[in-house]
Amino acid sequence: MSENQTLYAAFAGHLSAALDALEVAGTLPGGLKRSAVTVEPPRDPSHGDLATNAAMVLAKPAGMKPRDLAEALVAELTRIEDVTSAEIAGPGFINMRLAPSAWLAELRAIAALGADYGRSDMGGGKTVNVEYVSANPTGPMHMGHCRGAVVGDALATLLEYAGHKVTREYYVNDAGAQVQVLARSVHLRYREALGEDIGAIPEGFYPGDYLVPVGKALADEFGDTYAKAPESEWLVLFRDKAVAAMMDMIRADLALLGIEHEVFSSEAELQASGKPDEAEAWLRSKGLVYDGVLEAPKGKTPEDWEPVELPLFKSTQFGDDQDRPIKKSDGSWTYFGADLAYHYQKAQEADALVDIWGADHAGTVKRIKAAVAAMTGVDGEPTPFEVKLVQMVQLLKGGQPFKMSKRAGNFVTLADVVEMVGKDVVRFTMLTRKPDAQMDFDFDKVVEASKDNPVFYVQYCHARVHSTLRKAAADGFGPSDAHLDLLGEEELDLIKLAAQFPRVIEAAAAAREPHRMAFFLHDLAAAFHGYWNLGNDRVEKRFINHDDANLTGARLFLAVQMGQLVRNGLALLGVEAVEEM
């Protein structure tokens, strides 16, 4: 194994070479697809260090019995220097045991690669467009947006680390009815800034105090020019000014979480440039849009529902439940009609698309997937496209529902939460559960110094490494890889877990699931704390052994690499590793 090649990658190479040898020998036919062949830890660690399904996957296309192929493969694998045994389990799985030297070499690889340990080229430089947040530009960010923001940002970073080029994109919904309401709400605040008593904010308007400075800025800029003017004279102007102010606020809120998008795409600009019209014309030319009448909605009778002919996209041809209108009866675009054109635009610049959506949009996933499949797959394979749904976050304090922030009107702002608990706590907590699972965010629990708090538990692992190194240095000891052979089974178990880091990166990137890294870091921290606690009862297991400088150096070297992995993983999640707590 070369110094810069990780153990699992090296053994994937060894396995590939063994299969090549069987092909050359005529035991295995050439040209078999090996994409489903894996090298991974066995489910039960007592079965060995590594397992492969190669014989199970390749036996059928090779016209062989799995066990016969496994026997031939075992003969090849046992020739590898680091393999001490290879055994067949069940119908044809192969379990391998490795010499300790293989794991110690991996520990040195972590040290050699440092921040790049786990970095992968699996993405092959292909561009993935990750669109996330895309909150309506009508107010500050609230905690409903926060989870999707963190998931999208961590995914983008993870994909880059795994060898992709990534575009971080925000779709600005500035063409719908909600921005007209925003303009009218701002006009009220504008009149208020001019000294008018506007009374209570009318029902249906945006009531938040955050619009007060926007109204004042407009009063400073335009005086009373539009105070009594008809709506037609100021609506578009006030809409554009208000949206720009809201987007400045949203960018500032996202910056509190360390989030920056490279691309902001405007729905209004998309429509003004004629993109939806182009998309409709293209789809009609392919026979994928037709003029038709939708079935009556469930529960409606002919007496209370008027059928209208609309341009319909044939989404049923691509797995949707019904064909979908791309325009309303007044000729304006449906949200789906504009969204369809927007996704086609994104697909022109990317090899794959990922959208991070709130779970309340689950009902529209099928239709947009159908649209992307239709518009990108007519002349070949469609652009890979996934929608990741993110559930809402319930805010609690001491186990009770939490409300605050008059500034926002009636919701908790992201800025308030970051100010209360800090960026790193917010980011890590958002990734401690699968995005499609409900989440409670309890202000008391997320800052608790307890092993039940995943943020603290992982951060404490890194801080513990550094406090150990400081204490060792004060006693005259330092990390050294000169005597790693003194490390025993408990230490090797730590290394075996650490060695899975590159696999977790690739699996998480392939599945578009950054929370897998948070889960792995928790497991790694648990293993490290567990090893540390051995020293409470057994003096000989402590990191610092004043009677054995060589063993102390080896254990400190191990501790340094554990800290490196926690730092690498936290960096992918956008969280800073602390050295003191």
Side-chain angles (χ1 to χ4, degrees):
M1 192 171 85
S2 71
E3 189 178 69
N4 289 351
Q5 188 176 36
T6 61
L7 185 138
Y8 280 91
F11 271 84
H14 289 323
L15 179 60
S16 186
L19 292 169
D20 289 345
L22 293 182
E23 286 185 9
V24 171
T27 308
L28 199 63
L32 297 180
K33 284 183 72 173
R34 300 181 188 175
S35 55
V37 173
T38 59
V39 178
E40 56 192 10
R43 286 192 183 138
D44 183 346
S46 69
H47 292 167
D49 295 323
L50 301 178
T52 180
N53 64 352
M56 298 293 294
V57 169
L58 299 176
K60 190 173 180 182
M64 298 176 70
K65 291 178 181 174
R67 206 166 174 89
D68 290 345
L69 177 51
E71 285 173 1
L73 203 45
V74 161
E76 291 294 330
L77 293 172
T78 49
R79 294 177 186 173
I80 299 167
E81 184 182 350
D82 289 322
V83 175
T84 58
S85 72
E87 298 167 352
I88 303 166
F93 289 101
I94 298 171
N95 293 323
M96 291 173 275
R97 293 184 193 279
L98 306 186
S101 56
W103 300 110
L104 300 180
E106 189 69 358
L107 193 61
R108 290 188 174 96
I110 298 172
L113 290 166
D116 287 327
Y117 181 79
R119 191 179 290 279
S120 169
D121 60 3
M122 68 170 276
K126 289 188 174 179
T127 299
V128 182
N129 179 299
V130 184
E131 183 217 320
Y132 57 109
V133 188
S134 299
N136 285 338
T138 54
M141 295 283 295
H142 59 71
M143 284 303 282
H145 305 125
C146 177
R147 196 175 182 189
V150 172
V151 169
D153 201 57
L155 174 59
T157 304
L158 175 69
L159 289 170
E160 282 177 333
Y161 199 73
H164 287 281
K165 290 176 184 167
V166 176
T167 302
R168 294 166 169 82
E169 185 152 343
Y170 187 120
Y171 185 43
V172 184
N173 297 297
D174 55 358
Q178 75 277 358
V179 288
Q180 313 267 31
V181 174
L182 176 70
R184 295 182 186 110
S185 304
V186 165
H187 190 260
L188 268 184
R189 297 298 192 176
Y190 159 72
R191 284 159 43 204
E192 182 182 47
L194 291 169
E196 186 179 328
D197 181 4
I198 60 169
I201 303 295
E203 186 72 27
F205 279 53
Y206 292 104
D209 293 347
Y210 61 87
L211 292 180
V212 171
V214 183
K216 184 177 184 310
L218 289 167
D220 290 345
E221 185 174 355
F222 299 113
D224 63 359
T225 305
Y226 299 107
K228 306 288 186 192
E231 184 179 283
S232 58
E233 289 186 19
W234 54 259
L235 186 70
V236 172
L237 173 68
F238 275 47
R239 180 197 70 193
D240 292 348
K241 294 276 187 183
V243 166
M246 293 303 97
M247 287 309 300
D248 286 344
M249 184 186 295
I250 286 169
R251 282 189 189 92
D253 285 348
L254 289 171
L256 296 174
L257 281 176
I259 294 173
E260 285 183 39
H261 292 79
E262 290 118 10
V263 177
F264 288 84
S265 289
S266 156
E267 183 186 359
E269 287 176 16
L270 182 89
Q271 293 193 24
S273 66
K275 295 295 183 188
D277 297 287
E278 289 174 25
E280 180 187 2
W282 187 88
L283 286 165
R284 281 187 185 276
S285 75
K286 302 291 183 183
L288 293 172
V289 164
Y290 65 99
D291 296 317
V293 178
L294 289 172
E295 291 179 24
K298 284 179 185 173
K300 297 281 186 183
T301 64
E303 288 75 41
D304 59 10
W305 181 74
E306 186 182 338
V308 179
E309 188 174 75
L310 297 168
L312 303 176
F313 166 60
K314 284 187 181 175
S315 50
T316 49
Q317 201 170 306
F318 301 90
D320 197 3
D321 306 324
Q322 65 181 83
D323 292 342
R324 304 289 177 176
I326 59 173
K327 280 184 178 174
K328 301 173 189 172
S329 55
D330 64 3
S332 65
W333 295 101
T334 61
Y335 187 84
F336 170 65
D339 214 24
L340 176 152
Y342 168 58
H343 279 79
Y344 185 58
Q345 177 179 285
K346 285 197 294 186
Q348 306 308 301
E349 306 293 330
D351 301 299
L353 307 178
V354 182
D355 285 3
I356 310 294
W357 287 2
D360 53 330
H361 293 286
T364 61
V365 171
K366 273 189 181 178
R367 71 190 71 168
I368 197 61
K369 284 192 142 189
V372 171
M375 299 193 75
T376 66
V378 169
D379 301 316
E381 282 294 309
T383 299
F385 172 47
E386 290 182 66
V387 177
K388 293 293 183 183
L389 295 175
V390 178
Q391 287 285 355
M392 286 291 286
V393 177
Q394 184 179 11
L395 295 172
L396 306 170
K397 190 163 175 60
Q400 298 301 310
F402 185 70
K403 299 263 190 291
M404 67 177 186
S405 188
K406 188 182 171 194
R407 182 177 84 97
N410 58 357
F411 55 78
V412 181
T413 68
L414 184 150
D416 288 332
V417 176
V418 174
E419 187 179 331
M420 286 177 72
V421 300
K423 166 184 83 79
D424 290 343
V425 167
V426 173
R427 285 194 67 122
F428 194 93
T429 304
M430 291 296 129
L431 294 161
T432 53
R433 299 205 70 190
K434 293 180 179 180
D436 58 358
Q438 294 285 346
M439 171 177 278
D440 290 343
F441 185 97
D442 191 310
F443 285 91
D444 294 337
K445 287 186 177 173
V446 297
V447 294
E448 202 175 73
S450 140
K451 67 180 175 63
D452 297 325
N453 175 7
V455 188
F456 171 81
Y457 198 56
V458 173
Q459 287 281 31
Y460 186 43
C461 173
H462 190 264
R464 205 170 218 182
V465 166
H466 282 270
S467 70
T468 303
L469 292 170
R470 287 192 296 271
K471 186 174 186 303
D475 290 350
F477 297 107
S480 167
D481 68 344
H483 298 281
L484 294 183
D485 55 320
L486 295 175
L487 298 177
E489 279 303 316
E490 288 101 338
E491 291 92 347
L492 287 175
D493 286 343
L494 261 185
I495 300 168
K496 289 174 186 181
L497 178 60
Q500 293 187 42
F501 185 82
R503 291 182 64 250
V504 174
I505 297 282
E506 294 196 349
R512 317 299 200 224
E513 293 183 345
H515 64 270
R516 292 191 187 197
M517 179 49 63
F519 290 10
F520 177 77
L521 289 175
H522 190 272
D523 290 345
L524 191 68
F528 182 82
H529 291 313
Y531 177 79
W532 170 279
N533 291 334
L534 288 176
N536 291 336
D537 302 320
R538 297 160 59 189
V539 176
E540 75 277 8
K541 281 294 172 188
R542 291 179 182 170
F543 278 94
I544 301 171
N545 184 327
H546 290 92
D547 298 326
D548 194 334
N550 291 341
L551 179 59
T552 297
R555 285 182 179 160
L556 292 174
F557 186 81
L558 170 64
V560 169
Q561 308 330 317
M562 295 301 107
Q564 180 70 61
L565 288 197
V566 171
R567 200 156 58 249
N568 289 5
L570 288 177
L572 291 172
L573 307 182
V575 176
E576 190 179 338
V578 297
E579 296 189 3
E580 289 184 85
M581 292 187 86

